[in-house]
Amino acid sequence: MSSQQQHSLVQIAGEQVQRDLQEFNPVHWQVLLKRAKDGGIEPTCLCRGSGRPLPMHIARRGRTYVLKKMPMGGDQHHPACLSYGTVAGLGRGKESTEALQKGSDGRLDIKLDVPLTTVISSNAGSRRDRVASEGTTSRNAVTVLGLLHVLWEKAGLNRWEPLNGAPPVRRLTAVYQKLDEELQDITFGRISGEQLIFVPDTRIDPADLRSKHDALHEQNRLLCGYFGSDLRPVLFVIGELRSAFQSRYGVGLRLKGLGDDATIWMGEKPAQALHGQITTAVNRMGRLQGHTMVLAGVQFSPKGSLNWNVGALMSTSDVFIPVESSYEALVADRLVLQGRSFEKPLRFTSEDTVHPDFILRDAQDPVYMEVFGMDSPKYLQCKRDKLADYASRGRALWCWDAASGSKMPGFPKKGVHLGTF
């Protein structure tokens, strides 16, 4: 058994199976989960070996059963396991520390910089006060894109660790599953991540699409019940963009794993604000280059349409490492192909300090990596400030001045001391 197979091995209802069974034989996967759930049989993860089984649990979403790690148990799993996770953001700078706090139950509490509801009537009363107590404290706040970054970092999706003998692949099925597992470990005041955020799976047969449609609408109904009839909640939906199009209703976004009846409709103002990103995403899809992830805060119309309220788009590499430019994507893809261990530092708040583009982890010392892809006066000043900061801190540094048209330099060798900048 390869290391990749070992790290994806679970035991469900007495049967040891690989976790990719849910993708290649979803019927049998659901049979096993239902058998374990109905029989009260605790599933276990064998990523650390059969001698150290890690308990898991089974949740139900509509007619679908979902295997999940135990709450706050992600750090017990092997880094190559789908259930591996961390506590993102804690121990960072002042802004992130205030926006992300560890709750009394150990879960990560997140303060968003957008409201979770809009007022329908002027008689919201105590309900409005209740929402205010959950969403308008003096803490710094996480942006919508920052929330996507938090989930990505908690799920370990901003890091790449090559496995011996394993192809350099990370599938959307695994991305969705890792994100969904993280929701149980975060809160937004008194609202849990599982209440506020919907993550689909990748199954697209008609019965599964209907089930997800029903589950999405049921989650919105429960949110409406929580906030009351005077407030319309914002439900967040995460998914990879599969198409974007213009119609008389506005710009429509469709996500992988959700049917056309879950199209997210953008009005004129947000469509104009995100026009450049949407155009870039469509062009990248046409060239089969990387992926575009969407975090959409939607509100349901009386007829059940999903209307964009707030949201963000995030470009990623072929293996779902977040990138901020085509040059960064080239670096990330080459690092993966060369079997390197690296991470992409992510920003959570609008006040977060400057981060390196990547950190290479398999040299003797961590190597900070910068890709300079612009030459505007403001950008060049930022570049000078970054280089001065690295010099003052004695950081090992790799740079590519892509804006000048120069070729990408070779990477430092594994285990070799590069020296400080």
Side-chain angles (χ1 to χ4, degrees):
M1 181 184 297
S2 70
S3 59
Q4 183 183 31
Q5 290 174 320
Q6 176 61 61
H7 299 324
S8 66
L9 194 64
V10 293
Q11 181 160 310
I12 308 171
E15 185 173 335
Q16 290 189 9
V17 296
Q18 300 292 325
R19 290 177 73 161
D20 60 6
L21 180 70
Q22 62 186 311
E23 183 176 1
F24 299 113
N25 193 345
V27 173
H28 186 52
W29 178 261
Q30 287 297 308
V31 167
L32 289 177
L33 292 179
K34 184 178 187 303
R35 184 184 303 162
K37 182 76 170 177
D38 294 346
I41 306 170
E42 183 180 71
T44 56
C45 179
L46 305 178
C47 66
R48 294 286 188 180
S50 58
R52 188 185 168 187
L54 299 173
M56 304 188 75
H57 71 101
I58 299 170
R60 188 169 181 177
R61 177 184 289 164
R63 296 189 295 270
T64 302
Y65 294 90
V66 183
L67 181 67
K68 292 193 172 187
K69 68 183 181 185
M70 298 301 287
M72 307 305 300
D75 59 348
Q76 299 178 32
H77 292 258
H78 191 278
C81 177
L82 285 176
S83 293
Y84 175 77
T86 63
V87 178
L90 297 179
R92 287 211 182 178
K94 177 176 181 291
E95 292 79 12
S96 286
T97 302
E98 291 184 350
L100 306 170
Q101 296 183 351
K102 190 174 183 178
S104 59
D105 59 359
R107 292 188 291 178
L108 184 67
D109 186 62
I110 302 174
K111 170 67 171 68
L112 281 178
D113 71 349
V114 295
L116 301 182
T117 61
T118 56
V119 178
I120 297 176
S121 94
S122 59
N123 299 317
S126 62
R127 293 280 188 176
R128 188 185 306 182
D129 296 337
R130 173 174 160 189
V131 175
S133 69
E134 294 173 351
T136 57
T137 69
S138 59
R139 290 163 56 188
N140 281 303
V142 171
T143 63
V144 178
L145 180 59
L147 173 57
L148 194 54
H149 286 173
V150 170
L151 293 172
W152 228 254
E153 186 170 302
K154 273 185 59 61
L157 293 168
N158 67 319
R159 296 186 292 276
W160 182 258
E161 295 288 345
L163 291 174
N164 292 332
V169 175
R170 180 182 279 162
R171 289 192 289 266
L172 182 62
T173 299
V175 171
Y176 279 175
Q177 182 173 341
K178 289 176 76 68
L179 292 172
D180 187 59
E181 284 202 73
E182 293 305 322
L183 299 183
Q184 64 186 341
D185 290 345
I186 64 173
T187 60
F188 301 85
R190 285 175 285 181
I191 305 172
S192 71
E194 293 174 303
Q195 288 176 287
L196 191 66
I197 302 173
F198 182 90
V199 183
D201 56 36
T202 54
R203 295 176 297 164
I204 57 173
D205 60 80
D208 289 320
L209 291 177
R210 284 195 300 272
S211 178
K212 282 180 279 191
H213 172 274
D214 294 344
L216 182 62
H217 282 256
E218 175 65 8
Q219 188 164 334
N220 181 69
R221 187 188 68 80
L222 292 174
L223 264 186
C224 288
Y226 175 83
F227 286 113
S229 58
D230 296 313
L231 297 169
R232 179 174 292 132
V234 175
L235 173 63
F236 286 90
V237 182
I238 297 178
E240 182 184 350
L241 185 68
R242 65 177 169 94
S243 67
F245 60 95
Q246 180 74 50
S247 80
R248 61 191 180 95
Y249 301 107
V251 173
L253 304 181
R254 288 175 176 160
L255 308 182
K256 292 184 178 180
L258 293 175
D260 292 352
D261 56 2
T263 298
I264 298 170
W265 296 103
M266 303 180 74
E268 182 179 355
K269 188 174 181 180
Q272 287 180 346
L274 293 173
H275 174 74
Q277 285 183 271
I278 294 172
T279 300
T280 298
V282 171
N283 291 337
R284 294 182 80 214
M285 284 190 289
R287 296 192 298 266
L288 301 178
Q289 293 178 337
H291 313 272
T292 299
M293 302 303 299
V294 178
L295 176 59
V298 302
Q299 293 183 307
F300 285 64
S301 73
K303 293 184 178 180
S305 297
L306 280 61
N307 296 322
W308 178 286
N309 179 271
V310 294
L313 277 66
M314 180 180 77
S315 297
T316 77
S317 70
D318 289 339
V319 296
F320 294 95
I321 300 292
V323 294
E324 298 178 48
S325 70
S326 59
Y327 295 126
E328 283 193 17
L330 291 172
V331 173
D333 289 341
R334 184 170 295 185
L335 286 168
V336 169
L337 289 174
Q338 292 187 9
R340 306 306 299 269
S341 174
F342 70 99
E343 69 176 272
K344 167 69 175 178
L346 299 171
R347 298 176 178 85
F348 301 150
T349 76
S350 60
E351 302 299 324
D352 270 353
T353 55
V354 173
H355 291 67
D357 292 325
F358 301 101
I359 301 177
L360 190 62
R361 292 295 188 185
D362 58 9
Q364 183 172 323
D365 301 303
V367 177
Y368 283 59
M369 308 183 75
E370 288 290 350
V371 182
F372 298 115
M374 299 174 64
D375 58 4
S376 67
K378 183 178 180 180
Y379 185 89
L380 291 176
Q381 181 59 53
C382 179
K383 174 183 175 180
R384 287 190 289 270
D385 292 342
K386 270 191 167 185
L387 294 177
D389 180 70
Y390 290 135
S392 67
R393 294 171 182 266
R395 302 292 192 191
L397 182 66
W398 175 95
C399 289
W400 177 26
D401 190 4
S404 68
S406 63
K407 293 179 64 176
M408 187 191 307
F411 301 134
K413 295 181 179 180
K414 293 182 181 180
V416 173
H417 179 67
L418 181 65
T420 58
F421 176 76

